[in-house]
Amino acid sequence: MKVSVQLFASRREGEAPAGVIEKTMELTQLADELAFDAVWFAEHHGTPWNLCTDPLTLAAYAAGVTRSIGLGTAVSNLTVQHPVAVAERGALVAQLSGGRLQLGIGRGFAASDLALFGVPKDSAAQVFDRNLEQFGTHATQLLPDRQGLWLATTGNPATLQFAADHGWGLLLAGSGGRLTDIGSQSRLLWQAQHAGQQPIAVFRAVHVADTVEQARAEMLPYVTWYRDQAAALQPEQPVRPVDEVLAGFCVFGPPEVCLQELTSLAQTAGATEVVGVFGLGAAPLEMTRQSMRRFAAEVKPLLAEVDTVAAPMGAINDRPGS
């Protein structure tokens, strides 16, 4: 099992943009020092939720200030970016980083992004599908290592089929029940064409503290901010209760609780990689550092030993101590 991190360049009111990027790079270097397998960067536009507008640019910079950690995009938004340009930039970053790039793409979710780039909402799905086909053609030529290509999905059958046909991995962040369905479907599609296990990365916000109660209290204001900023990107959607975000996307508590929940998630999806989102909601730098260090020392070594090939996929256990 690979164990990685994702970092959002989130900006709270009063923070200088340069300082936000500097903090993100400091945490990237820490992830490298702590021997995480990869660090993943996201793409958003016109929002303090994430100041990174091009994760490939951030990955290229990170390649120069880190030693061995993988550098991933989760995701490069193919609905609003030209597919050939993404493939070409990806190939360049792969070369600059010595082959460390993990290029994840997806359709994005923010209505504000569509408006900003002039993509009509009612044709966004068709735009993505067309761009995906074109990207796939060029990526195959420019990035021959298919193990470095990933596709984000919420379980669309056509997306799962495309990933299996092209030998790409999957990026997942859905609920436990949804992960079970996606894992089952993708396994059948993959095994019909490939030997071995499909690369599957599961993402969860993580915070380690002495108790579940302490971890929840420390995360709560930042998860609330994260929820509010995400809601602003989808004004047509109902605002999710914070407790729903905590239950569906966050893993928090002492090391043994985090280990149990992440192991169960990995087994549910048949995952090959678990990605912890640290510092969610522009949490304080020192709090994020401490959580990452403790996770690396007390959770990561045991999580890395989990074998999801032999383990059956099943339901996620209830949260201990809640």
Side-chain angles (χ1 to χ4, degrees):
M1 176 74 66
K2 292 184 177 180
V3 186
S4 302
V5 304
Q6 184 179 36
L7 300 172
F8 286 88
S10 297
R11 176 177 179 245
R12 301 299 288 266
E13 186 175 355
E15 284 189 284
V20 173
I21 300 300
E22 182 180 348
K23 180 174 73 172
T24 304
M25 285 298 100
E26 181 177 334
L27 292 173
T28 296
Q29 291 174 298
L30 176 61
D32 187 38
E33 294 169 8
L34 296 175
F36 282 96
D37 287 292
V39 56
W40 296 81
F41 303 116
E43 173 185 338
H44 295 96
H45 301 274
T47 172
W49 197 44
N50 179 34
L51 299 189
C52 178
T53 55
D54 183 7
L56 282 169
T57 298
L58 208 58
Y61 182 86
V65 297
T66 57
R67 294 170 298 178
S68 59
I69 193 168
L71 305 166
T73 67
V75 295
S76 290
N77 187 340
L78 215 57
T79 305
V80 300
Q81 302 287 352
H82 195 287
V84 176
V86 174
E88 289 181 340
R89 294 204 309 273
L92 180 58
V93 175
Q95 293 169 2
L96 291 171
S97 64
R100 288 192 277 155
L101 180 67
Q102 300 293 313
L103 180 51
I105 62 172
R107 66 179 65 243
F109 71 90
S112 57
D113 285 356
L114 300 180
L116 186 63
F117 284 87
V119 179
K121 183 180 177 181
D122 58 1
S123 63
Q126 291 80 7
V127 170
F128 174 78
D129 290 343
R130 182 179 66 246
N131 287 352
L132 179 60
E133 288 290 345
Q134 192 173 5
F135 173 86
T137 299
H138 286 273
T140 300
Q141 297 170 357
L142 297 170
L143 295 159
D145 182 8
R146 295 183 179 185
Q147 294 301 310
L149 292 168
W150 302 75
L151 189 55
T153 181
T154 56
N156 182 293
T159 303
L160 298 179
Q161 185 68 63
F162 185 97
D165 290 345
H166 289 75
W168 296 5
L170 298 176
L171 304 174
L172 309 178
S175 65
R178 195 71 186 127
L179 291 181
T180 300
D181 294 339
I182 295 172
S184 299
Q185 295 171 39
S186 63
R187 178 174 292 187
L188 291 175
L189 295 171
W190 184 266
Q191 290 179 344
Q193 303 186 59
H194 307 277
Q197 188 177 15
Q198 183 177 22
I200 296 178
V202 176
F203 291 69
R204 282 294 186 272
V206 174
H207 183 57
V208 182
D210 290 338
T211 66
V212 170
E213 294 75 18
Q214 177 189 350
R216 185 184 188 281
E218 290 176 350
M219 281 191 89
L220 184 60
Y222 307 104
V223 172
T224 302
W225 183 89
Y226 170 90
R227 185 278 312 266
D228 292 344
Q229 295 299 323
L233 300 178
Q234 298 175 291
E236 75 284 359
Q237 298 292 328
V239 178
R240 297 174 65 191
V242 174
D243 284 344
E244 183 179 312
V245 179
L246 285 166
F249 183 59
C250 301
V251 171
F252 51 89
E256 62 272 17
V257 170
C258 294
L259 175 63
Q260 180 179 331
E261 292 199 28
L262 291 172
T263 297
S264 185
L265 277 167
Q267 293 174 344
T268 293
T272 59
E273 182 170 352
V274 169
V275 183
V277 184
F278 286 91
L280 189 74
L285 180 59
E286 186 54 36
M287 187 175 91
T288 304
R289 281 199 204 102
Q290 292 178 3
S291 181
M292 286 178 63
R293 289 187 183 280
R294 192 165 181 186
F295 184 93
E298 301 181 54
V299 180
K300 183 167 73 71
L302 297 175
L303 190 58
E305 296 178 1
V306 172
D307 180 5
T308 59
V309 177
M313 292 186 294
I316 297 175
N317 296 331
D318 292 335
R319 175 186 296 278
S322 66

